[in-house]
Amino acid sequence: MKLTYKQTENRPENSFLARQDRLPCIEQNWHFHKELELIYFIKSTGTRYVGNSIGNFAPGELYLIGSNVPHLFKNHKEYYADNLEDEAVDLVVIKFVPDFLGENFLDLAESKKIQLLFQRANMGLQFSKAVTYLVHNYILGLLGNKGLSRIIGLLNILDILSVGENYKTLCSEVITSNYSKNEKDRMGRVVTFLTENFDKKIELDEVAAIAYMTPNAFCRYFKKRTHKSFTQYLNEIRLRHACKLLIEGEMQIATVCYQSGFNTLTNFNRQFKTLMKVTPSEYMEKYNEALGAR
Protein backbone atom coordinates (compact mmCIF):
# COMPACT_ATOMS: atom_id res chain seq x y z
CA MET A 1 0.00 0.00 0.00
CA LYS A 2 1.40 3.36 -1.04
CA LEU A 3 0.55 6.82 0.17
CA THR A 4 -1.28 7.85 -2.98
CA TYR A 5 -2.61 11.08 -4.35
CA LYS A 6 -6.19 10.62 -5.52
CA GLN A 7 -7.40 12.56 -8.51
CA THR A 8 -10.82 14.17 -8.22
CA GLU A 9 -13.74 11.78 -8.63
CA ASN A 10 -16.19 14.60 -9.30
CA ARG A 11 -17.82 15.14 -12.65
CA PRO A 12 -16.75 18.42 -14.29
CA GLU A 13 -20.36 19.66 -14.41
CA ASN A 14 -20.83 19.24 -10.63
CA SER A 15 -19.41 21.47 -7.92
CA PHE A 16 -18.85 18.57 -5.51
CA LEU A 17 -19.17 14.80 -5.12
CA ALA A 18 -21.71 13.03 -2.89
CA ARG A 19 -22.05 9.25 -2.94
CA GLN A 20 -23.12 6.35 -0.76
CA ASP A 21 -20.96 3.22 -0.61
CA ARG A 22 -22.41 -0.13 0.48
CA LEU A 23 -19.57 -2.65 0.46
CA PRO A 24 -18.29 -5.81 2.18
CA CYS A 25 -15.26 -3.85 3.43
CA ILE A 26 -13.36 -0.62 2.89
CA GLU A 27 -10.63 -1.12 0.30
CA GLN A 28 -8.34 1.89 0.06
CA ASN A 29 -4.75 2.97 0.41
CA TRP A 30 -3.31 5.52 2.79
CA HIS A 31 -4.00 8.55 0.60
CA PHE A 32 -4.58 12.28 0.31
CA HIS A 33 -6.33 14.59 -2.15
CA LYS A 34 -6.94 18.29 -2.71
CA GLU A 35 -10.63 18.01 -1.79
CA LEU A 36 -11.92 18.25 1.76
CA GLU A 37 -13.81 15.07 2.63
CA LEU A 38 -16.85 14.54 4.85
CA ILE A 39 -17.23 10.87 5.80
CA TYR A 40 -20.40 9.68 7.54
CA PHE A 41 -20.38 6.10 8.79
CA ILE A 42 -23.87 4.60 8.85
CA LYS A 43 -22.60 1.04 9.29
CA SER A 44 -18.94 0.15 9.74
CA THR A 45 -16.24 -0.20 12.39
CA GLY A 46 -12.46 -0.12 12.21
CA THR A 47 -9.35 1.93 12.82
CA ARG A 48 -8.80 5.42 11.48
CA TYR A 49 -5.44 6.92 10.58
CA VAL A 50 -5.65 10.69 10.04
CA GLY A 51 -2.36 12.58 9.84
CA ASN A 52 -0.49 11.33 12.90
CA SER A 53 -3.68 10.41 14.78
CA ILE A 54 -4.84 6.83 15.36
CA GLY A 55 -8.24 5.85 16.73
CA ASN A 56 -11.30 3.69 16.19
CA PHE A 57 -14.39 4.61 14.19
CA ALA A 58 -17.95 3.34 14.57
CA PRO A 59 -21.48 3.76 13.15
CA GLY A 60 -23.00 7.20 13.53
CA GLU A 61 -19.68 9.05 13.41
CA LEU A 62 -18.95 12.00 11.13
CA TYR A 63 -15.48 13.21 10.12
CA LEU A 64 -14.12 16.12 8.11
CA ILE A 65 -10.64 15.61 6.64
CA GLY A 66 -8.80 18.64 5.31
CA SER A 67 -7.19 19.18 1.93
CA ASN A 68 -4.03 17.08 1.40
CA VAL A 69 -4.21 15.45 4.85
CA PRO A 70 -3.07 11.78 4.59
CA HIS A 71 -5.74 9.42 5.92
CA LEU A 72 -6.95 5.84 5.92
CA PHE A 73 -10.09 4.24 7.34
CA LYS A 74 -9.48 0.51 7.63
CA ASN A 75 -12.01 -2.07 8.80
CA HIS A 76 -11.15 -4.62 11.45
CA LYS A 77 -9.66 -7.87 10.16
CA GLU A 78 -12.93 -9.84 10.33
CA TYR A 79 -14.40 -7.62 7.59
CA TYR A 80 -11.98 -9.09 5.09
CA ALA A 81 -13.18 -12.68 5.59
CA ASP A 82 -14.73 -14.37 2.57
CA ASN A 83 -18.07 -15.03 4.27
CA LEU A 84 -18.86 -11.43 5.21
CA GLU A 85 -22.15 -9.91 4.06
CA ASP A 86 -22.08 -7.80 0.90
CA GLU A 87 -23.19 -4.61 2.70
CA ALA A 88 -21.27 -4.82 5.97
CA VAL A 89 -20.10 -1.26 5.26
CA ASP A 90 -22.51 1.61 4.62
CA LEU A 91 -21.08 5.12 4.44
CA VAL A 92 -21.60 8.46 2.73
CA VAL A 93 -18.68 10.39 1.22
CA ILE A 94 -18.84 14.08 0.29
CA LYS A 95 -15.82 15.65 -1.41
CA PHE A 96 -15.36 19.28 -2.38
CA VAL A 97 -12.53 21.73 -2.97
CA PRO A 98 -12.37 24.69 -0.55
CA ASP A 99 -13.38 27.17 -3.26
CA PHE A 100 -16.14 25.02 -4.78
CA LEU A 101 -18.34 28.14 -4.95
CA GLY A 102 -15.65 30.38 -6.44
CA GLU A 103 -12.34 31.89 -5.44
CA ASN A 104 -13.83 34.69 -3.35
CA PHE A 105 -16.55 32.73 -1.55
CA LEU A 106 -14.56 32.14 1.63
CA ASP A 107 -13.57 35.81 1.78
CA LEU A 108 -17.17 36.89 2.29
CA ALA A 109 -18.10 38.02 5.81
CA GLU A 110 -20.90 35.44 5.85
CA SER A 111 -18.42 32.64 5.14
CA LYS A 112 -15.82 33.34 7.83
CA LYS A 113 -16.99 30.53 10.13
CA ILE A 114 -16.86 28.06 7.25
CA GLN A 115 -13.38 29.31 6.37
CA LEU A 116 -12.28 28.65 9.97
CA LEU A 117 -13.87 25.17 9.82
CA PHE A 118 -11.86 24.36 6.69
CA GLN A 119 -8.65 25.55 8.35
CA ARG A 120 -9.24 23.38 11.42
CA ALA A 121 -10.05 20.41 9.18
CA ASN A 122 -6.31 20.31 8.40
CA MET A 123 -5.97 18.62 11.80
CA GLY A 124 -8.88 16.26 11.09
CA LEU A 125 -12.23 16.76 12.84
CA GLN A 126 -14.69 14.36 14.45
CA PHE A 127 -18.09 15.86 15.20
CA SER A 128 -20.23 15.32 18.27
CA LYS A 129 -23.23 13.01 18.22
CA ALA A 130 -25.55 15.98 18.67
CA VAL A 131 -24.32 17.89 15.62
CA THR A 132 -24.13 14.68 13.57
CA TYR A 133 -27.80 14.10 14.35
CA LEU A 134 -28.61 17.63 13.13
CA VAL A 135 -26.98 17.08 9.72
CA HIS A 136 -28.06 13.45 9.23
CA ASN A 137 -31.04 14.22 6.99
CA TYR A 138 -29.13 16.88 5.04
CA ILE A 139 -26.34 14.39 4.30
CA LEU A 140 -28.74 11.72 3.06
CA GLY A 141 -30.66 14.36 1.13
CA LEU A 142 -27.58 15.21 -0.94
CA LEU A 143 -27.70 11.75 -2.48
CA GLY A 144 -30.99 12.47 -4.22
CA ASN A 145 -30.87 16.22 -4.65
CA LYS A 146 -30.24 17.78 -8.04
CA GLY A 147 -29.53 21.25 -9.30
CA LEU A 148 -29.27 24.16 -6.91
CA SER A 149 -30.78 22.16 -4.05
CA ARG A 150 -27.53 20.13 -3.87
CA ILE A 151 -25.49 23.26 -3.22
CA ILE A 152 -28.03 24.55 -0.71
CA GLY A 153 -27.94 21.19 1.07
CA LEU A 154 -24.15 21.22 1.38
CA LEU A 155 -24.18 24.83 2.58
CA ASN A 156 -26.73 23.88 5.25
CA ILE A 157 -24.43 21.10 6.41
CA LEU A 158 -21.34 23.34 6.51
CA ASP A 159 -23.27 26.09 8.28
CA ILE A 160 -24.36 23.71 11.05
CA LEU A 161 -20.89 22.18 11.37
CA SER A 162 -19.21 25.60 11.56
CA VAL A 163 -21.34 26.98 14.42
CA GLY A 164 -19.60 26.58 17.78
CA GLU A 165 -17.00 23.90 18.40
CA ASN A 166 -19.07 20.73 18.30
CA TYR A 167 -16.06 18.66 17.28
CA LYS A 168 -12.71 17.42 18.46
CA THR A 169 -9.48 17.74 16.52
CA LEU A 170 -7.75 14.45 15.79
CA CYS A 171 -4.19 15.75 15.37
CA SER A 172 -2.29 18.02 17.72
CA GLU A 173 -1.03 20.05 14.77
CA VAL A 174 -1.57 20.46 11.04
CA ILE A 175 -0.33 17.39 9.14
CA THR A 176 -0.58 17.92 5.39
CA SER A 177 1.18 15.93 2.72
CA ASN A 178 4.33 17.35 1.19
CA TYR A 179 5.83 13.99 0.31
CA SER A 180 7.98 13.36 -2.72
CA LYS A 181 7.12 10.32 -4.82
CA ASN A 182 9.79 8.21 -3.11
CA GLU A 183 8.51 9.26 0.31
CA LYS A 184 4.95 8.35 -0.64
CA ASP A 185 6.09 4.84 -1.48
CA ARG A 186 8.24 4.56 1.63
CA MET A 187 5.61 5.74 4.10
CA GLY A 188 2.99 3.65 2.35
CA ARG A 189 5.07 0.50 2.82
CA VAL A 190 5.65 1.29 6.49
CA VAL A 191 2.00 2.06 7.28
CA THR A 192 0.87 -1.07 5.44
CA PHE A 193 3.29 -3.26 7.34
CA LEU A 194 2.30 -1.85 10.73
CA THR A 195 -1.45 -2.08 10.14
CA GLU A 196 -1.17 -5.66 8.94
CA ASN A 197 1.36 -6.96 11.48
CA PHE A 198 0.86 -4.95 14.69
CA ASP A 199 -0.32 -8.08 16.55
CA LYS A 200 3.02 -9.79 15.94
CA LYS A 201 6.51 -9.09 17.22
CA ILE A 202 7.99 -6.24 15.16
CA GLU A 203 11.69 -5.38 15.24
CA LEU A 204 12.91 -1.89 14.41
CA ASP A 205 15.49 -3.34 12.02
CA GLU A 206 12.70 -5.05 10.10
CA VAL A 207 10.68 -1.88 9.58
CA ALA A 208 13.77 0.19 8.78
CA ALA A 209 14.66 -2.32 6.07
CA ILE A 210 11.20 -1.91 4.54
CA ALA A 211 11.93 1.82 4.32
CA TYR A 212 15.44 1.10 2.92
CA MET A 213 17.02 3.01 5.80
CA THR A 214 19.24 2.33 8.78
CA PRO A 215 17.37 2.08 12.11
CA ASN A 216 18.68 5.42 13.39
CA ALA A 217 17.91 7.23 10.13
CA PHE A 218 14.46 5.65 10.03
CA CYS A 219 13.63 6.76 13.59
CA ARG A 220 14.58 10.35 12.77
CA TYR A 221 12.67 10.24 9.49
CA PHE A 222 9.53 8.72 11.05
CA LYS A 223 9.49 11.24 13.90
CA LYS A 224 9.88 14.13 11.46
CA ARG A 225 7.01 12.89 9.28
CA THR A 226 4.51 11.77 11.93
CA HIS A 227 5.60 13.90 14.90
CA LYS A 228 5.58 10.69 16.94
CA SER A 229 8.27 8.14 17.68
CA PHE A 230 8.00 4.81 15.89
CA THR A 231 7.35 2.99 19.18
CA GLN A 232 4.63 5.45 20.19
CA TYR A 233 2.90 5.13 16.82
CA LEU A 234 3.01 1.33 16.91
CA ASN A 235 1.76 1.21 20.50
CA GLU A 236 -1.21 3.40 19.57
CA ILE A 237 -2.19 1.01 16.77
CA ARG A 238 -1.98 -1.89 19.21
CA LEU A 239 -3.89 -0.12 21.96
CA ARG A 240 -6.75 0.90 19.67
CA HIS A 241 -7.08 -2.75 18.71
CA ALA A 242 -7.00 -3.68 22.39
CA CYS A 243 -9.87 -1.26 23.06
CA LYS A 244 -11.93 -3.04 20.43
CA LEU A 245 -11.25 -6.44 21.99
CA LEU A 246 -12.05 -5.17 25.48
CA ILE A 247 -15.37 -3.73 24.34
CA GLU A 248 -16.31 -7.00 22.69
CA GLY A 249 -15.86 -8.63 26.10
CA GLU A 250 -14.96 -12.08 24.78
CA MET A 251 -11.38 -12.23 26.10
CA GLN A 252 -9.58 -11.88 29.39
CA ILE A 253 -7.34 -8.84 29.71
CA ALA A 254 -4.21 -10.99 29.51
CA THR A 255 -5.42 -12.51 26.25
CA VAL A 256 -6.22 -9.05 24.87
CA CYS A 257 -2.67 -8.01 25.77
CA TYR A 258 -1.00 -10.73 23.72
CA GLN A 259 -3.56 -10.60 20.88
CA SER A 260 -2.70 -6.90 20.46
CA GLY A 261 1.04 -7.50 20.09
CA PHE A 262 2.33 -6.74 23.61
CA ASN A 263 4.89 -9.07 25.19
CA THR A 264 4.07 -8.54 28.86
CA LEU A 265 0.93 -7.67 30.79
CA THR A 266 2.85 -5.10 32.85
CA ASN A 267 3.90 -3.14 29.77
CA PHE A 268 0.42 -3.42 28.28
CA ASN A 269 -1.21 -2.02 31.43
CA ARG A 270 1.32 0.81 31.62
CA GLN A 271 0.94 1.80 27.96
CA PHE A 272 -2.85 1.53 28.14
CA LYS A 273 -3.01 3.81 31.20
CA THR A 274 -0.73 6.34 29.49
CA LEU A 275 -2.87 6.58 26.36
CA MET A 276 -6.39 6.03 27.72
CA LYS A 277 -5.89 7.57 31.21
CA VAL A 278 -7.55 4.51 32.76
CA THR A 279 -6.56 0.87 33.26
CA PRO A 280 -7.95 -1.82 30.93
CA SER A 281 -10.36 -3.03 33.63
CA GLU A 282 -11.54 0.55 34.33
CA TYR A 283 -12.01 1.05 30.59
CA MET A 284 -14.28 -2.00 30.43
CA GLU A 285 -16.24 -0.82 33.47
CA LYS A 286 -16.77 2.64 32.01
CA TYR A 287 -17.92 1.16 28.71
CA ASN A 288 -20.38 -1.20 30.40
CA GLU A 289 -21.71 1.66 32.56
CA ALA A 290 -22.27 3.79 29.47
CA LEU A 291 -23.94 0.86 27.72
CA GLY A 292 -26.28 0.31 30.66
CA ALA A 293 -27.23 3.99 30.77
CA ARG A 294 -28.56 4.00 27.21
Side-chain angles (χ1 to χ4, degrees), residues 1-4 28-31 49 70-72 179 187 191:
M1 178 180 68
K2 300 178 180 180
L3 170 60
T4 56
Q28 62 175 206
N29 294 330
W30 195 48
H31 66 282
Y49 305 83
H71 58 281
L72 166 65
Y179 296 105
M187 286 299 296
V191 172

Side-chain angles (χ1 to χ4, degrees), residues 42-237:
I42 299 171
K43 183 181 178 184
S44 189
T45 61
T47 306
R48 56 168 170 77
Y49 305 83
V50 179
N52 66 349
S53 166
I54 303 169
N56 294 326
F57 66 90
E61 293 183 352
L62 176 66
Y63 297 88
L64 179 61
I65 312 300
S67 178
N68 291 322
V69 175
H71 58 281
L72 166 65
F73 288 82
K74 186 177 181 64
N75 290 127
H76 296 309
K77 289 187 176 181
E78 55 266 27
Y79 277 75
Y80 301 93
D82 293 336
N83 59 350
L84 198 67
E85 61 179 294
D86 290 340
E87 296 185 2
V89 173
D90 187 356
L91 58 88
V92 177
V93 173
I94 303 167
K95 288 184 177 181
F96 53 92
V97 293
D99 58 352
F100 73 100
L101 286 181
E103 292 183 5
N104 299 320
F105 169 68
L106 292 177
D107 294 328
L108 299 174
E110 295 87 348
S111 304
K112 289 303 180 184
K113 289 183 178 179
I114 293 178
Q115 183 184 55
L116 180 60
L117 178 73
F118 290 177
Q119 291 171 353
R120 292 180 175 174
N122 288 328
M123 294 188 288
L125 304 178
Q126 178 183 354
F127 295 93
S128 68
K129 290 183 178 180
V131 76
T132 301
Y133 175 80
L134 291 177
V135 300
H136 170 87
N137 288 337
Y138 285 115
I139 290 175
L140 297 185
L142 287 182
L143 301 172
N145 287 348
K146 296 181 180 180
L148 193 59
S149 61
R150 291 182 79 248
I151 296 176
I152 294 172
L154 180 55
L155 286 176
N156 281 328
I157 293 169
L158 296 177
D159 184 43
I160 293 170
L161 297 182
S162 68
V163 175
E165 294 188 2
N166 297 306
Y167 54 78
K168 67 176 182 180
T169 54
L170 303 179
C171 304
S172 58
E173 54 193 308
V174 174
I175 307 288
T176 56
S177 178
N178 57 351
Y179 296 105
S180 67
K181 183 181 184 304
N182 288 338
E183 287 178 305
K184 293 173 188 176
D185 294 345
R186 176 183 291 150
M187 286 299 296
R189 289 194 303 272
V190 170
V191 172
T192 298
F193 181 80
L194 296 181
T195 57
E196 293 180 352
N197 297 281
F198 66 86
D199 54 343
K200 305 178 182 69
K201 184 178 180 180
I202 295 177
E203 299 288 354
L204 176 59
D205 289 354
E206 186 178 14
V207 184
I210 291 171
Y212 303 122
M213 303 176 80
T214 65
N216 287 339
F218 172 75
C219 286
R220 292 192 297 270
Y221 171 81
F222 194 87
K223 183 68 177 286
K224 181 179 179 181
R225 285 301 177 190
T226 66
H227 304 271
K228 293 182 180 181
S229 71
F230 166 71
T231 300
Q232 180 185 1
Y233 192 90
L234 176 58
N235 280 341
E236 288 188 17
I237 295 176

